[in-house]
Amino acid sequence: MLLVAGTLTVIGWLMQHLADQGMIANGAYGIATLVAGLPIIFKAISALRARVMSIELLVSIAVVGAVAILEFEEAAMVTFLFAFGNFLEQRTLQKTHQAIQNLTEMQPTTATMVVNGQYQEVEIDEVDEGAVLVVRVGDQVPVDGEIISGSAEVDEALITGESKLVDKTTGDQAYMGSIVENGQILVQAQKVGEDTTFGKIIELVEEAQDNQAPMSKFIDRFAKYYTPFVLVVAILILLFTKNLRLAITILVLACPGALVIGAPVSNVAGIGRGAKAGILIKGGDVIDQLAQVDTILFDKTGTVTEGRPTVKSIKEYQEDHWLALAADLEKQTNHPLARSIVEYYEKRGQKTTADFNLPITTIKGIGIQSEYQGQTIWIGSRRVLTENQIELTTQQARDLQVIESDGQSVVLMTVDQKLVLMMGLVDQVRKGVKETFEKLKQSGIDKQWMLTGDNSSIAEKIAKTIGINQVKAQMLPEEKALFLEQLQNDGRHVLFVGDGINDSPSIAKANVGIAMGNGTDVAIETSDVVLIDSDFSNIQNARRVAKATMRNTMQNVGIAIGTVALLLIGVAYGWVNMASGMLFHEISILVVIFNAMRLLRMKF
């Protein structure tokens, strides 16, 4: 349709200006106006039925008026250029959604299932949780699951953005979309389809790009009132000047096309650039908030540290099977320290954990509690001692002091108010953390606090390593959230970074909550930004994307408003007519589009 309208418009112009065939020219212009103009008129009518005065209404009235005064060339030019502008807008939005399209196309469509010892290729939709799948060299892992047999070198770049191969073996997690480059593994499905990490990435980015920024919402409201305002102005001009052509020209040139597309295209491009780098920003309103943050609060374990601690010290105060019981209870939780204790027990004893079948109760900020043979078991931080009013012996107090002074995180196990086990664990600080905090400070986030449930000596040691001098230790989740709220009441725009269930209240309450990609599902679901590869430096990159997107949006708004103002001035002085003005109008839309596309090429 657009090609036909464009061709007829060109034919009409040639017939009129070169061949002096006015009748043929007007016929070509008329058909071109119908072809390009009818869809515009239908949109205007649909909008009116919904009680909305759209931009299409301005163009429709102007085109009908141009035909009425026999300005067929103007009518054809206006309808074609407006339709061409809409075409460019749609193509641009499709291109900025390309990250989603690419991800969707990369999803595996089939899987090889093991059924009664036989390999059976099935559609991915037929795979249920618990199914066992074989993944061979060159195959994509079709589900999230646990490797139950075999080993392989796996490319997880699609999930984490990390280009180097990862060695995977029995007991490790495999993620949908990763590719086996060498070896063969059997994977038992734990999550399928949209529930997988890869599925959630796609879902989050899709939702984010549909989520409007405050500027976009303002422009939508502006356009709602702008259209009737322009109509009133055009009517007044007609009444006072008796110049129908001038009134029609005002209707055409006052169309804020570049203004309407300017904010959404910047928003979508910014989110797309973030997604390309493994930064999932959940919407335009998040971009607006992220650009304004001036304070950062962050958890320690699994956030500034790798979240893969190892047991360095262990003190057993009773000759019994308490370590085996501790490992069995801890395997029911997903806390990084708990996983480390299970791994330590299995490596030390070269056996899997026993199966005591004991239910546990999780006490946020403290640990877990259970009952065993009529005895009350507690495992957790040193808060276990105060919670149960336990007094340490001289030796136990000395051991605790030595472990904590070495910067180790302490896990204690008590049985009926007696300390039976003390473990010290160490975790490595993530690469680039110190540099990231320095860059954040330089960019305006001058208040930086580490909040942790660990004791003060461990917290201070980590804080010194990463260059932070504001620390709050031994904090419960609700205390973290309360501290965050106090800062907000003081007028601070707070960014909170965490990874665990304990962090989810603060992540949800913050102006912007960031979850590390290796964190729990709850933290990821409640956050505003997800760092898929858990790269700490991407916190600074996310803020750079947000600030660049806001600048780009304001530039586009300025271009749009400036274009309309200049065109109206040009009309007033007789420098601009309807067709030439519409051409400049569409050029401004192109400028806005290309300006937004610069975000996709942003370098970190």
Side-chain angles (χ1 to χ4, degrees):
M1 298 284 283
L2 184 62
L3 181 61
V4 171
T7 302
L8 287 170
T9 301
V10 171
I11 291 172
W13 190 88
L14 292 174
M15 290 294 101
Q16 179 179 350
H17 296 283
L18 299 182
D20 198 23
Q21 296 291 324
M23 187 71 71
I24 297 175
N26 287 339
Y29 286 142
I31 298 173
T33 300
L34 284 174
V35 171
L38 283 177
I40 299 171
I41 293 172
F42 290 149
K43 282 186 178 180
I45 293 171
S46 297
L48 281 174
R49 285 174 178 170
R51 298 182 180 181
V52 174
M53 301 182 74
S54 65
I55 294 168
E56 283 81 9
L57 180 62
L58 296 181
V59 177
S60 299
I61 295 172
V63 169
V64 171
V67 172
I69 60 176
L70 305 181
E71 291 289 351
F72 298 109
E73 180 183 4
E74 303 277 12
M77 289 285 187
V78 168
T79 52
F80 169 71
L81 288 170
F82 189 81
F84 184 62
N86 283 336
F87 169 76
L88 289 176
E89 291 175 20
Q90 294 303 315
R91 286 296 301 270
T92 303
L93 291 174
Q94 287 174 9
K95 187 169 183 179
T96 52
H97 279 89
Q98 196 65 46
I100 295 294
Q101 295 171 8
N102 290 342
L103 284 173
T104 304
E105 291 167 2
M106 291 177 184
Q107 291 184 95
T109 57
T110 61
T112 304
M113 191 182 301
V114 181
V115 181
N116 298 325
Q118 301 294 315
Y119 292 163
Q120 180 180 339
E121 187 165 328
V122 298
E123 294 295 320
I124 193 66
D125 293 338
E126 298 177 31
V127 179
D128 296 321
E129 292 181 16
V132 176
L133 310 168
V134 62
V135 189
R136 293 164 288 203
V137 174
D139 289 347
Q140 276 187 301
V141 179
V143 296
D144 281 5
E146 181 181 355
I147 299 174
I148 59 175
S149 177
S151 60
E153 290 181 316
V154 179
D155 179 0
E156 295 184 337
L158 192 62
I159 307 298
T160 66
E162 180 59 58
S163 58
K164 66 181 181 181
L165 298 180
V166 181
D167 291 326
K168 296 281 186 175
T169 188
T170 302
D172 290 339
Q173 288 289 308
Y175 299 101
M176 177 184 181
S178 53
I179 301 171
V180 172
E181 297 289 350
N182 186 27
Q184 179 172 306
I185 52 178
L186 288 180
V187 178
Q188 185 168 37
Q190 295 174 329
K191 296 179 181 178
V192 298
E194 294 180 353
D195 293 331
T196 62
T197 301
F198 190 65
K200 286 182 178 179
I201 291 173
I202 296 174
E203 181 183 358
L204 288 174
V205 181
E206 283 178 335
E207 290 176 355
Q209 293 192 328
D210 290 334
N211 184 303
Q212 287 187 313
M215 178 60 75
S216 298
K217 295 175 184 176
F218 167 76
I219 289 172
D220 283 349
R221 292 194 299 270
F222 170 80
K224 179 180 177 181
Y225 297 103
Y226 180 78
T227 298
F229 171 76
V230 172
L231 281 172
V232 171
V233 170
I235 292 171
L236 291 174
I237 288 174
L238 178 62
L239 291 175
F240 283 101
T241 66
K242 309 300 182 184
N243 189 334
L244 180 59
R245 181 184 179 83
L246 178 61
I248 292 171
T249 302
I250 292 295
L251 287 178
V252 172
L253 300 188
C255 293
L259 182 64
V260 172
I261 191 178
V265 76
S266 295
N267 178 44
V268 173
I271 291 171
R273 178 62 187 95
K276 189 177 179 182
I279 305 167
L280 300 189
I281 303 173
K282 299 182 183 179
D285 52 348
V286 176
I287 285 179
D288 181 68
Q289 289 291 329
L290 187 54
Q292 297 181 53
V293 295
D294 54 22
T295 302
I296 180 171
L297 309 181
F298 54 94
D299 177 47
K300 179 179 71 67
T301 305
T303 302
V304 297
T305 63
E306 294 282 356
R308 292 193 296 270
T310 56
V311 177
K312 182 178 180 181
S313 308
I314 185 164
K315 302 290 182 181
E316 298 179 80
Y317 301 106
Q318 289 186 12
E319 295 292 332
D320 213 325
H321 57 287
W322 297 123
L323 180 58
L325 179 60
D328 179 70
L329 295 175
E330 292 282 35
K331 75 180 180 182
Q332 299 182 54
T333 77
N334 58 9
H335 193 280
L337 297 182
R339 292 196 296 268
S340 301
I341 292 169
V342 174
E343 290 172 4
Y344 172 78
Y345 171 77
E346 292 180 342
K347 287 179 181 178
R348 191 178 87 157
Q350 295 183 338
K351 57 185 177 182
T352 58
T353 56
D355 194 358
F356 290 90
N357 292 318
L358 298 177
I360 66 170
T361 300
T362 300
I363 313 298
K364 284 188 177 183
I366 299 176
I368 59 175
Q369 187 267 333
S370 185
E371 297 291 328
Y372 173 66
Q373 295 182 354
Q375 302 173 97
T376 301
I377 311 294
W378 281 80
I379 304 176
S381 67
R382 66 181 298 158
R383 282 180 175 268
V384 168
L385 302 178
T386 54
E387 187 75 14
N388 294 279
Q389 298 179 335
I390 296 174
E391 294 289 337
L392 299 181
T393 67
T394 303
Q395 184 59 49
Q396 289 171 343
R398 187 180 298 116
D399 291 339
L400 182 60
Q401 193 274 329
V402 169
I403 290 174
E404 289 183 339
S405 63
D406 188 45
Q408 301 176 42
S409 296
V410 175
V411 175
L412 306 174
M413 181 178 187
T414 66
V415 178
D416 279 349
Q417 295 187 304
K418 291 183 180 179
L419 181 65
V420 298
L421 194 63
M422 182 187 298
M423 290 170 283
L425 296 90
V426 292
D427 199 358
Q428 298 299 314
V429 173
R430 293 182 188 274
K431 292 181 179 179
V433 170
K434 185 174 183 179
E435 293 78 7
T436 298
F437 280 125
E438 184 59 36
K439 289 177 182 177
L440 288 169
K441 187 178 293 184
Q442 292 172 1
S443 69
I445 302 183
D446 55 346
K447 298 291 184 181
Q448 301 177 349
W449 293 84
M450 183 168 77
L451 312 182
T452 177
D454 236 329
N455 69 76
S456 299
S457 59
I458 296 172
E460 293 288 351
K461 186 169 184 178
I462 295 291
K464 185 177 181 181
T465 301
I466 62 178
I468 297 295
N469 55 19
Q470 299 181 104
V471 180
K472 284 189 172 290
Q474 294 179 275
M475 296 190 78
L476 293 171
E478 54 267 31
E479 292 173 333
K480 293 181 182 180
L482 181 61
F483 178 67
L484 186 154
E485 191 172 358
Q486 289 171 349
L487 290 173
Q488 289 175 321
N489 291 337
D490 291 338
R492 311 295 297 191
H493 286 79
V494 183
L495 168 66
F496 188 92
V497 188
D499 75 312
I501 292 175
N502 288 348
D503 301 321
S504 56
S506 296
I507 288 175
K509 190 178 287 289
N511 296 87
V512 178
I514 293 184
M516 310 303 279
N518 62 352
T520 64
D521 289 345
V522 174
I524 291 173
E525 290 293 335
T526 56
S527 66
D528 302 302
V529 180
V530 182
L531 307 184
I532 293 299
D533 58 0
S534 298
D535 183 349
F536 205 83
S537 64
N538 269 342
I539 297 173
Q540 167 67 359
N541 292 335
R543 190 158 186 269
R544 286 188 58 202
V545 167
K547 292 180 79 67
T549 302
M550 292 302 295
R551 285 196 303 270
N552 194 273
T553 299
M554 296 309 298
Q555 290 165 3
N556 283 347
V557 169
I559 291 168
I561 294 175
T563 299
V564 171
L566 289 174
L567 287 176
L568 293 178
I569 291 171
V571 170
Y573 284 94
W575 302 333
V576 177
N577 60 28
M578 194 186 303
S580 63
M582 198 64 188
L583 177 61
F584 283 111
H585 212 294
E586 300 309 322
I587 289 174
S588 74
I589 290 177
L590 278 175
V591 172
V592 162
I593 288 171
F594 288 132
N595 186 48
M597 298 295 281
R598 291 189 303 112
L599 291 171
L600 295 174
R601 300 188 296 273
M602 184 179 175
K603 302 292 184 184
F604 294 145

